[in-house]
Amino acid sequence: MVLFCDWSSLMMSSVKVECVIKAGALIGEGPLWEESQQTLMFVDIAGQKIHRWRPTTNQSESVETEDFVSFVVPRVSGGYLAGMGRSIVAVEWSTQMMTSLVELDEEKPNNRLNDGKVDPRGRLLAGTMGREKRPAEVQRQQGSLFSVTSDLSVTKHLTQVDISNGMDWSLDQKTFFYIDSLSLTVDAFDYDSDSGRLGNRRVVYHLAEGEGLPDGMTVDADGRLWVAIYNGGRVLNIDPETGVCLQTVSLPVTKTTSCCFGGPDFSDLYVTSASLGLDQSERRKQPLAGGVFRVSGLGVKGRPSVSFSG
């Protein structure tokens, strides 16, 4: 059964929301906590930058890219993988060198990569979408969902995707959670972690029309989902077993894009946001749009990210 969330529900009094990076990103996305460095990685898709922020010193570094950059993940062999345009590229942070490894959706030059994440076995899953005319306005059913293994073998799992977005896995690795934003749903698949095969698609949660679009998400250490709602200014905490929204975290910006847990004990929820598409009046009302927010006091913890096995 799929239930709807009462998005007017109040946050618990212990919860604190603060803007920790006034990035002014056009499309801030893909937050990832790098445990070994105790840093937060995120991208500005349209701003064509990969950012790395260290909370202990409040210092930020960035690398510029040659095209839209939609995600960044660490590699076991060192450095990072990023989704740039339609290519998966290797990023050497110290030299800012980028090397294209494999191109996806070669037959669709107007597509670009969107969200990507590494599964518990170290393979990369990454989705595509058509280029936007305006934010979240695309030619529909142009995208796909792919996986990339350490030897750069590519498998296409889904087609006719509108905006491939948030993804994560259940604690037992047997369920893959996935968002195609324009469907307004969070879906689940049976997941074979040995082969990476998907099956038995079903809806876990459905937003009502006008509530915003489900965007990026993460799974906490209790197996519950945290879903950023684009044009909704909030993050929903959802129990995937019941379809019940357990909690709503409201942000002072409307274009919330994605989230991840981080901090020394993974108890802080970091939320990215966008400013692209806001008019002048909205920008005046949302001076922190495009910033990164830290939500503390939630009483839950996240899980470490996984590095790409190649």
Side-chain angles (χ1 to χ4, degrees), residues 23-205:
L26 295 176
I27 310 175
E29 258 286 6
L32 176 142
W33 182 260
E34 195 173 12
E35 187 178 17
S36 63
Q37 302 294 320
Q38 291 292 294
T39 53
L40 181 75
M41 309 288 299
F42 67 101
V43 301
D44 182 350
I45 295 178
Q48 299 182 193
K49 287 183 179 180
I50 304 170
H51 295 285
R52 186 165 72 178
W53 175 72
R54 190 179 303 276
T56 54
T57 61
N58 197 29
Q59 295 297 308
S60 294
E61 305 172 293
S62 62
V63 171
E64 294 189 7
T65 61
E66 296 176 358
D67 200 345
F68 281 15
V69 56
S70 54
F71 64 85
V72 60
V73 296
R75 302 178 71 183
V76 169
S77 58
Y80 303 95
L81 282 190
M84 189 175 73
R86 287 181 290 111
S87 296
I88 306 298
V89 301
V91 180
E92 177 57 52
W93 192 268
S94 60
T95 62
Q96 303 200 2
M97 287 286 294
M98 298 186 193
T99 306
S100 181
L101 301 178
V102 63
E103 190 172 289
L104 306 180
D105 266 355
E106 292 177 284
E107 75 283 5
K108 293 185 176 180
N110 290 326
N111 277 14
R112 69 164 176 86
L113 282 157
N114 203 36
D115 214 344
K117 192 168 283 189
V118 178
D119 84 353
R121 296 295 181 90
R123 64 173 69 82
L124 173 71
L125 271 77
T128 58
M129 58 183 282
R131 296 263 181 171
E132 300 107 315
K133 303 163 190 172
R134 285 179 291 277
E137 291 187 22
V138 300
Q139 185 178 352
R140 300 192 67 160
Q141 298 186 345
Q142 296 303 299
S144 297
L145 178 69
F146 300 88
S147 63
V148 182
T149 56
S150 58
D151 64 358
L152 302 182
S153 298
V154 175
T155 301
K156 184 184 289 189
H157 297 279
L158 300 175
T159 59
Q160 295 186 314
V161 174
D162 292 325
I163 301 178
S164 186
N165 238 317
M167 58 187 84
D168 212 333
W169 288 263
S170 61
L171 303 185
D172 64 6
Q173 305 179 20
K174 293 181 179 179
T175 304
F176 172 62
F177 300 106
Y178 178 67
I179 291 171
D180 180 357
S181 290
L182 297 189
S183 72
L184 303 183
T185 61
V186 180
D187 293 346
F189 293 80
D190 292 346
Y191 193 72
D192 184 331
S193 57
D194 291 328
S195 67
R197 282 195 298 268
L198 309 178
N200 187 28
R201 187 173 190 167
R202 64 266 189 200
V203 173
V204 170
Y205 188 82

